[in-house]
Amino acid sequence: MSRDINTLLKTMNYQTKRIEAIYYKIALNLKMSKSEFWILYALAEAEQECSQQEISEELSISRQTINSAIQNLMQREYVFLEQSSISARRKNVRMTEKGKRFVEESIVPLQKAEREAFMKMGSFAQKQYVTHRHM
């Protein structure tokens, strides 16, 4: 039994690394860091304002790394910081028009492909994947 669990864990870790490597290559192809990529990915999915803290928590990336990545994205004119109406200490990350175009051309197609692949899995497999990946 212990050997079976070790084999499953090894397989799970291998698959996780393979998936991470795919996204790393995508980020490299887009000429950006993984953190920059994931920030734009998160902003593309966001349905409301996103602070640096919220992005940091959602992506499980340190605030310092998020701040550095946002500075790089600001230099590329993809995002800007805006004072929040909720708190004077909170700054929201917003996409510029240039950033929106970039996301629409580069990240939205990826998100659509992910959705299509997920839909092909079937309901049971979807639930199994989500349950086991996010425990």
Side-chain angles (χ1 to χ4, degrees):
M1 182 69 167
S2 167
R3 186 175 182 163
D4 291 340
I5 290 172
N6 288 341
T7 300
L8 289 173
L9 287 172
K10 183 177 179 181
T11 301
M12 181 186 74
N13 289 330
Y14 174 74
Q15 293 296 343
T16 299
K17 294 293 182 199
R18 285 184 64 201
I19 291 169
E20 288 175 7
I22 290 168
Y23 286 101
Y24 176 69
K25 287 178 185 175
I26 291 168
L28 284 180
N29 285 336
L30 295 173
K31 297 180 177 34
M32 60 180 48
S33 71
K34 286 190 311 184
S35 299
E36 293 165 356
F37 168 81
W38 284 115
I39 289 167
L40 292 177
Y41 189 103
L43 290 173
E45 288 187 322
E47 295 177 10
Q48 59 188 18
E49 314 182 319
C50 292
S51 70
Q52 292 182 62
Q53 178 67 34
E54 290 168 333
I55 293 170
S56 172
E57 290 170 4
E58 180 180 331
L59 299 177
S60 298
I61 299 173
S62 75
R63 282 196 68 187
Q64 182 177 358
T65 300
I66 292 296
N67 187 47
S68 295
I70 288 172
Q71 294 303 316
N72 291 339
L73 290 169
M74 287 173 63
Q75 287 178 353
R76 294 174 77 168
E77 300 178 353
Y78 287 164
V79 302
F80 64 96
L81 295 177
E82 175 181 80
Q83 192 67 44
S84 171
S85 58
I86 297 172
S87 166
R89 294 181 58 207
R90 175 182 160 142
K91 290 186 180 176
N92 292 322
V93 183
R94 299 261 191 212
M95 281 192 284
T96 62
E97 288 304 313
K98 181 179 178 181
K100 289 177 185 176
R101 282 192 307 275
F102 179 81
V103 164
E104 192 64 37
E105 294 168 4
S106 304
I107 294 177
V108 170
L110 170 65
Q111 291 172 326
K112 287 179 182 176
E114 290 171 332
R115 228 173 264 108
E116 288 173 15
F118 192 72
M119 295 306 292
K120 288 179 182 178
M121 290 172 68
S123 180
F124 179 77
Q126 290 169 352
K127 288 176 186 170
Q128 288 292 103
Y129 181 79
V130 171
T131 301
H132 292 285
R133 297 281 300 173
H134 300 286
M135 289 182 78

